[in-house]
């Protein structure tokens, strides 16, 4: 399994970016998959996630500070996860990582991480 992020850039506050996470090894729908971020000097934090297709309940979730501004989605045909980020704020500046979680039939899981993409929001 291989995850590769792209789309990070320098953008002004109020601007938009769309991050992509290309998935190889299995369908993007197979995983509980989402986005994390890590700002300088801070711990990595969860941003958003979407359930695997077979999950019950199936849901999409967001960190409170990004609700209404970020949208997570999947393109199954291209096996890609997206994070649309609108109305960006300087506090969104971080390296953004894609993570996929693969559960087996016993409930045991393995996490797969991408290498990260830098998002910088200037004020």
């Amino acid at each position: 399994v291989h995850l590769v992020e792209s789309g990070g850039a320098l953008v002004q506050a109020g601007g938009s970016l769309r991050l992509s996470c290309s998935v190889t090894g299995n369908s993007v729908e197979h995983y509980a998959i989402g986005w994390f971020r890590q700002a300088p000097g801070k711990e990595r934090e969860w941003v958003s996630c979407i359930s695997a297709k077979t999950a019950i309940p199936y849901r999409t979730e967001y960190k409170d500070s990004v609700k209404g501004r970020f949208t997570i989605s999947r393109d199954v045909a291209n096996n890609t996860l997206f994070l649309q980020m609108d109305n960006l704020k300087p506090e969104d500046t971080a390296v953004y990582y894609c993570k996929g979680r693969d559960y087996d039939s016993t409930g045991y899981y393995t996490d797969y991480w991408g290498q990260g993409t830098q998002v910088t929001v200037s004020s």
Side-chain angles (χ1 to χ4, degrees):
V1 179
H2 198 47
L3 307 177
V4 179
E5 303 94 334
S6 61
L10 171 64
V11 64
Q12 288 188 331
S16 297
L17 282 176
R18 188 176 79 158
L19 304 183
S20 300
C21 174
S22 177
V23 178
T24 58
N26 210 324
S27 169
V28 67
E29 291 186 303
H30 175 77
Y31 306 100
I33 194 165
W35 294 92
F36 289 70
R37 67 188 181 187
Q38 187 166 18
K42 295 186 177 181
E43 292 187 353
R44 192 172 297 187
E45 63 177 8
W46 167 78
V47 175
S48 178
C49 63
I50 187 168
S51 302
K53 182 180 180 181
T54 56
I56 299 174
Y58 178 86
R59 58 191 178 193
T60 303
E61 297 180 280
Y62 298 91
K63 178 181 176 64
D64 284 347
S65 64
V66 307
K67 284 180 181 177
R69 300 189 297 121
F70 290 10
T71 304
I72 191 170
S73 62
R74 287 188 290 218
D75 179 345
V76 177
N78 290 294
N79 228 30
T80 303
L81 178 75
F82 296 107
L83 185 68
Q84 177 67 39
M85 306 187 295
D86 298 318
N87 190 21
L88 281 160
K89 303 177 180 181
E91 52 264 41
D92 295 318
T93 295
V95 178
Y96 283 71
Y97 298 89
C98 174
K99 187 189 84 171
R101 176 165 286 181
D102 188 5
Y103 287 93
D104 68 15
S105 58
T106 68
Y108 178 82
Y109 63 83
T110 302
D111 286 339
Y112 300 94
W113 290 90
Q115 84 291 346
T117 186
Q118 176 70 48
V119 172
T120 304
V121 184
S122 63
S123 57

